Amino acid sequence: MDSTNNMTSNSKAGSIHDSARGSPDPVPMDAFHNLVQEINDILGPSNGIDSADVDVDELKKVMLDYRSVEDEWSKYAFADHSRAYTRNLVDRGNGKANLLVLVWTPGEASPIHDHANAHCVMKILKGSLTETLYGWPCQRPDSPTSCATAPDSVYPSTQHTCSARTQIMGPKELAVLKETTYGREQVTYMSDQLGLHRMANPSKDEVAVSLHLYTVSVVSRFMLDAELIILQPPNAAKHGCHIFDPKTGKKTHVSQGHFYSELGVKM
Ligand SMILES: N[C@@H](CS(=O)O)C(=O)O
Ligand SMILES: [Fe+2]
């Protein structure tokens, strides 16, 4: 980072009053919006075509360092008990990523889904979420990172079209690899390389709130059935993903182009 950037990021912490020009004191940034700024600093400027160089560990660390204060993020947290969860846009991350606040209805879960080649770093802001991790329909039982139908594939992923080919392998129940419950302040990471997952709010009466950062992984394009779509990042949060039937492994594309709210305003 050059000295100009350092000056920019330092000046946000202190409030430099420009009394000579009579401008009002800047309102000090709260810790949540400081986190948003730190994430932007890590992601860097928007001139890259992909974010293969994104440092996931650094992103996890700043998310872990933040202590959740409801007043700081509540303006983004729209609850709607008529759906499993709401997806609320907080920031577009220099055009390279999307930062979302998700609000989870008690007892509800997301469908089993992939992540459209995005990195997903997630922090629990309130309550808890249970993650069930599944293998891809095509993965080799003895080697979860290998594809059973295309031996030259390094790992199954969204662009890995044979993951849809239940007609080659026949319907196949998805394998449950792991179940983990994450509590308030915990941070986790998900990507297509780890498999598929679903998240559930195990509480009977409390909403859960989580913060999700989606950035583009190694490539910024993926195969959508027969059609090759070239995407500028970010893809997963805006352009959708695939959901999977746990009994057959059959996948269906779902568009996620609509946010429930953007920058604190309900759509
Ligand atoms: N990846 C999901 C939320 S979760 O189940 O991880 C989404 O963005 O809707
Ligand atoms: Fe997810």
Side-chain angles (χ1 to χ4, degrees):
M1 190 183 286
D2 67 27
S3 59
T4 316
N5 281 340
N6 278 330
M7 276 173 58
T8 311
S9 50
N10 287 343
S11 66
K12 73 182 182 253
S15 46
I16 301 157
H17 179 48
D18 186 2
S19 56
R21 279 193 246 146
S23 57
D25 281 336
V27 179
M29 217 189 278
D30 64 34
F32 180 78
H33 292 91
N34 247 321
L35 170 64
V36 175
Q37 184 58 53
E38 278 183 295
I39 289 170
N40 274 290
D41 290 346
I42 294 168
L43 293 175
S46 59
N47 55 4
I49 52 161
D50 65 46
S51 53
D53 55 343
V54 162
D55 188 335
V56 169
D57 287 339
E58 218 182 337
L59 291 167
K60 282 169 80 175
K61 183 181 181 312
V62 291
M63 284 223 195
L64 207 49
D65 287 348
Y66 171 66
R67 287 284 154 267
S68 176
V69 175
E70 186 157 348
D71 277 355
E72 296 175 353
W73 48 257
S74 58
K75 71 180 241 195
Y76 306 107
F78 289 84
D80 183 341
H81 287 224
S82 72
R83 49 180 82 197
Y85 64 105
T86 64
R87 308 174 80 243
N88 305 279
L89 180 71
V90 174
D91 191 64
R92 292 195 171 86
N94 294 341
K96 277 181 140 181
N98 275 327
L99 187 64
L100 308 185
V101 160
L102 271 48
V103 183
W104 300 81
T105 299
E108 295 294 333
S110 55
I112 301 168
H113 58 275
D114 64 25
H115 290 81
N117 292 310
H119 296 289
C120 172
V121 184
M122 186 198 81
K123 178 187 177 83
I124 309 288
L125 296 175
K126 181 180 179 152
S128 65
L129 289 175
T130 299
E131 176 188 54
T132 309
L133 187 67
Y134 297 85
W136 286 83
C138 64
Q139 82 177 24
R140 271 171 48 184
D142 59 327
S143 172
T145 54
S146 307
C147 168
T149 62
D152 54 337
S153 289
V154 183
Y155 58 86
S157 78
T158 302
Q159 67 187 148
H160 181 85
T161 50
C162 89
S163 63
R165 288 188 195 153
T166 42
Q167 66 270 32
I168 292 177
M169 302 181 66
K172 183 170 170 288
E173 200 166 328
L174 294 179
V176 175
L177 305 179
K178 205 163 68 163
E179 193 170 281
T180 316
T181 298
Y182 298 98
R184 187 180 176 115
E185 311 295 3
Q186 281 192 280
V187 172
T188 184
Y189 171 76
M190 183 58 187
S191 77
D192 290 338
Q193 296 186 44
L194 301 178
L196 309 169
H197 80 171
R198 93 183 315 161
M199 303 293 288
N201 178 0
S203 170
K204 293 279 167 287
D205 41 29
E206 299 281 342
V207 296
V209 181
S210 50
L211 181 68
H212 295 235
L213 176 71
Y214 296 100
T215 75
V216 168
S217 184
V218 187
V219 289
S220 60
R221 59 183 207 175
F222 71 97
M223 288 286 229
L224 180 57
D225 300 325
E227 193 182 0
L228 177 65
I229 297 187
I230 309 294
L231 293 174
Q232 289 303 311
N235 53 17
K238 190 84 185 162
H239 296 278
C241 62
H242 298 92
I243 60 173
F244 293 75
D245 182 322
K247 293 280 173 241
T248 63
K250 186 177 176 334
K251 78 171 184 177
T252 313
H253 179 259
V254 291
S255 139
Q256 289 179 301
H258 176 80
F259 296 117
Y260 194 82
S261 70
E262 292 191 13
L263 314 180
V265 179
K266 191 169 180 297
M267 295 290 106

